[in-house]
Amino acid sequence: MNADDRNILARGRVATRLPARDLDRARRFYAEQLGLEPVDERPGGLLYRCGGSEFALFKSTGASPGTFTQMGWEVDDVETIVSELKQRGVVFEEVDVPGFRTKDGIAEIDGNYPSKGARGERAAWFRDSEGNLLGIGEPVA
C-alpha cells in the first residue's frame, strides 16, 4: 500500500456540522449577528459557505456541550471583526486562567503551526444561539 492509498481522506474536503435545537432561531442568529445566509437548505438543515469551505446547521434534539471550539474562522484582522460582531450583539467569552487571558474578548496565544508561518495567534470565542462554541483567529507573523 503506497502513501496515496493510506491518505484517502486527505483528498476530501472537511465540512463542519453544528447541531441546532431550534433551526429558525439559529438561522436568525447567523443572519443578524454574523451576516451569513444559507446558500442551500433541506428539511432540517442549512448549508453555509465561507472562504471556500462549508458548514451546516442541522436540527438536533441533542445540544452541544459548548466546552470546546467546534468551528473557527481564520481572519486577517480579528480586532475589527470582534468589534463589528459586538456591535451586532455577539457576546465574546472572557477567560482568565493561568497562562491564558482575554482582554476585550481577544487572547494572545503563543505558538502556531509551523506550516502556517506564524509565531502565534490572536483569537476570540463566542457562542451561537444554540450553545455551539465558535472561534475567530488571526495568525501573528
Side-chain angles (χ1 to χ4, degrees):
M1 181 178 283
N2 65 37
D4 286 337
D5 291 336
R6 284 191 302 270
N7 296 324
I8 59 173
L9 288 178
R11 295 188 297 267
R13 293 185 317 271
V14 174
T16 300
R17 304 292 185 246
L18 298 172
R21 285 192 170 184
D22 185 329
L23 205 53
D24 290 331
R25 177 179 60 202
R27 180 196 292 259
R28 284 191 306 276
F29 175 86
Y30 280 79
E32 295 169 9
Q33 268 71 44
L34 305 185
L36 298 173
E37 294 291 342
V39 296
D40 203 356
E41 60 185 283
R42 67 177 190 207
L46 302 171
L47 180 66
Y48 294 83
R49 288 202 179 101
C50 299
S53 298
E54 64 184 34
F55 70 94
L57 296 174
F58 67 94
K59 185 162 180 55
S60 174
T61 57
S64 164
T67 57
F68 54 87
T69 306
Q70 294 165 262
M71 181 177 74
W73 286 266
E74 189 172 286
V75 299
D76 294 330
D77 186 349
V78 72
E79 202 165 304
T80 297
I81 301 289
V82 166
S83 176
E84 175 66 29
L85 292 178
K86 282 181 177 180
Q87 290 177 22
R88 296 179 188 180
V90 174
V91 176
F92 284 84
E93 299 287 304
E94 291 294 340
V95 179
D96 188 359
V97 296
F100 191 85
R101 177 185 298 165
T102 55
K103 181 178 177 191
D104 298 324
I106 300 173
E108 304 285 337
I109 303 167
D110 289 332
N112 204 339
Y113 301 105
S115 63
K116 289 189 172 231
R119 64 173 171 76
E121 181 178 30
R122 299 180 73 218
W125 296 266
F126 64 93
R127 295 176 197 285
D128 71 5
S129 61
E130 308 310 296
N132 296 304
L133 187 60
L134 308 176
I136 302 171
E138 172 192 353
V140 177

